[in-house]
Amino acid sequence: MEYKITNFNTKRMIADSLKKFLMKKPLSKVTVSELTKDCGVNRKTFYYHFADIRMLVKWMLEEEAFEVVSSFDIKTDFKSAILFTIDYVENNAVIIRRILSSLTRAELKYLLGDDFKKIVRGIIEQTQNIKKRTITDTFLDFITEMYAGIIGEIIINLVEESEVVQSRQRAVDYITTIFIEMVPALLDAAETKQL
């Protein structure tokens, strides 16, 4: 147990250092040497935990946002999960903008795609269970990809806007409508058409 705590603390320390540097410059300008020097660890320690800085970014975002969001009970806390995500984006807007400015869309999709898909798939499966609908895994995969892409774009647009707060209620309303109104209707149609 102590080993896991030490590993987590080391990762957290490196992630905190990255955030500090991202307040000053884009991700593409941050080096492993800067991070290790700032943390007082050697390069081997960094590479023991992360293959590169992009994997550090992935871990940091997963640890700080996606793991928390996926722990919400979507049936009762759906809006809370959305608001948590928007709050995270708002509180870390500078850092997230600096990350986005250094990544291509393909890199961003690679870093965040699985996490969005996991959360979205959980919501769809939960809705499917509540409505007692059966759809094929192929169609479930398809709609998971589609809705994860939509939510990812909404969150990226929030980050790119200068004032996240103005868009907060609109984003919550849009995402809530998609999942509360559209997903059940989509599941009904899919079952009818045996998709």
Side-chain angles (χ1 to χ4, degrees), residues 107-182:
E107 289 173 315
L108 190 62
K109 186 175 179 180
Y110 170 74
L111 286 178
L112 305 179
D114 290 342
D115 297 302
F116 278 127
K117 286 181 218 169
K118 224 185 316 183
I119 293 165
V120 168
R121 188 178 188 101
I123 294 167
I124 294 169
E125 287 175 340
Q126 207 167 34
T127 304
Q128 186 180 355
N129 291 338
I130 291 167
K131 292 195 59 72
K132 296 180 180 17
R133 297 290 180 251
T134 304
I135 61 173
T136 65
D137 287 340
T138 306
F139 191 65
L140 179 59
D141 291 343
F142 175 79
I143 60 176
T144 297
E145 287 273 342
M146 183 181 73
Y147 284 126
I150 290 168
I151 291 176
E153 285 298 318
I154 290 169
I155 291 172
I156 289 168
N157 289 340
L158 283 173
V159 171
E160 291 173 344
E161 290 180 16
S162 58
E163 298 221 11
V164 177
V165 178
Q166 292 179 349
S167 305
R168 170 192 299 273
Q169 192 55 51
R170 185 182 67 209
V172 171
D173 291 344
Y174 288 178
I175 294 170
T176 302
T177 299
I178 286 170
F179 282 101
I180 293 178
E181 303 296 330
M182 294 175 69

Side-chain angles (χ1 to χ4, degrees), residues 33-154:
S33 295
E34 289 174 317
L35 296 175
T36 56
K37 183 178 179 185
D38 185 59
C39 293
V41 298
N42 62 42
R43 291 176 68 84
K44 286 182 182 181
T45 300
F46 177 89
Y47 288 112
Y48 173 79
H49 295 290
F50 306 106
D52 56 27
I53 290 179
R54 282 170 170 57
M55 290 298 100
L56 167 58
V57 169
K58 182 173 177 58
W59 181 86
M60 181 178 75
L61 294 174
E62 286 173 345
E63 189 60 37
E64 292 181 353
F66 295 118
E67 287 300 318
V68 176
V69 169
S70 64
S71 71
F72 280 92
D73 179 355
I74 300 303
K75 288 184 287 192
T76 58
D77 290 337
F78 186 69
K79 283 189 177 184
S80 298
I82 295 168
L83 286 169
F84 172 85
T85 304
I86 292 170
D87 286 342
Y88 180 81
V89 167
E90 186 177 59
N91 294 334
N92 293 282
V94 171
I95 290 166
I96 294 171
R97 281 190 196 108
R98 296 258 166 82
I99 291 169
L100 290 176
S101 72
S102 298
L103 299 176
T104 65
R105 288 279 177 179
E107 289 173 315
L108 190 62
K109 186 175 179 180
Y110 170 74
L111 286 178
L112 305 179
D114 290 342
D115 297 302
F116 278 127
K117 286 181 218 169
K118 224 185 316 183
I119 293 165
V120 168
R121 188 178 188 101
I123 294 167
I124 294 169
E125 287 175 340
Q126 207 167 34
T127 304
Q128 186 180 355
N129 291 338
I130 291 167
K131 292 195 59 72
K132 296 180 180 17
R133 297 290 180 251
T134 304
I135 61 173
T136 65
D137 287 340
T138 306
F139 191 65
L140 179 59
D141 291 343
F142 175 79
I143 60 176
T144 297
E145 287 273 342
M146 183 181 73
Y147 284 126
I150 290 168
I151 291 176
E153 285 298 318
I154 290 169

